Amino acid sequence: MTAGWTEDRVGALKKLWLEGQSASQIAKQLGGGVTRNAVIGKVHRLGLSGRAAPSQPARATFRPSRPRPTPQPTQAPSAPRRIEAAQPRPVAPVAPPPAPIPDLPGTATVMTLGAHMCKWPIGDPSSAEFSFCGRRASEGVYCMEHARVAYQPQVRKGGKDGASELARSLRRYI
C-alpha cells in the first residue's frame, strides 16, 4: 500500500519539479511506493507547469559533437505553389444495362457440370427442369453474357464529380 501525499512530499515534489528533475527521478527520490505516474498526476493536480530546464538522461561518456557542414543552397527557393482550380473531367458515359438473357433451358445438370462450364442457374431448383447454362465460362464461373449480368460496375451515388470533392476537401486547409 502506498503512503499518501504528505506536506513534506508535496514540498519535495515541487522543489524537484522546478529544478527540472524528471517524474521518474522524483519518484525514485521520494520513495515509499510513489510511482512515476503518481508524480505526473500530482503535478497536474497542483498545476505545476514551469520547469527550470527539461531533464536530460545521464550519459556515461561524453563525445564532442561533430561539426555539421552547412548546406549550400543550389538555387533560390521558389515561391509557394498555388493550387489552381481543377478542370472538370469529362464524365464517362454510363453504359446501358445489358439486355436480359432469356432463360432458355440449360444444357448442364449438377451431375454433368464441369470446371469450365457456366454455372448460371436456370429455373427453380426444386423443379425437375432445373439446369445450368453450361456454356464455356470465360475467366470466372459464368459465360460472358451471364458475367455481364452478375458483375455490374458500381454506380456512384450523389452525382458528385471529383473536382468538386477535391475543392471541398482543400477548403479545410485554406
Side-chain angles (χ1 to χ4, degrees), residues 6-96:
T6 62
E7 293 294 321
D8 294 337
R9 280 189 170 183
V10 172
L13 167 70
K14 287 180 182 178
K15 177 182 166 279
L16 294 171
W17 183 260
L18 293 175
E19 287 176 1
Q21 298 285 325
S22 71
S24 298
Q25 293 167 336
I26 295 170
K28 196 179 291 183
Q29 288 185 14
L30 291 177
V34 177
T35 64
R36 172 186 167 271
N37 287 338
V39 170
I40 292 171
K42 191 64 174 178
V43 165
H44 285 291
R45 286 190 299 278
L46 291 172
L48 300 177
S49 60
R51 294 178 75 138
S55 63
Q56 296 293 325
R59 297 220 170 133
T61 60
F62 174 76
R63 292 187 299 199
S65 62
R66 290 184 251 158
R68 295 184 180 170
T70 57
Q72 300 296 327
T74 56
Q75 61 183 358
S78 63
R81 293 185 184 176
R82 181 167 217 182
I83 299 175
E84 298 295 327
Q87 298 296 325
R89 292 183 184 170
V91 178
V94 177

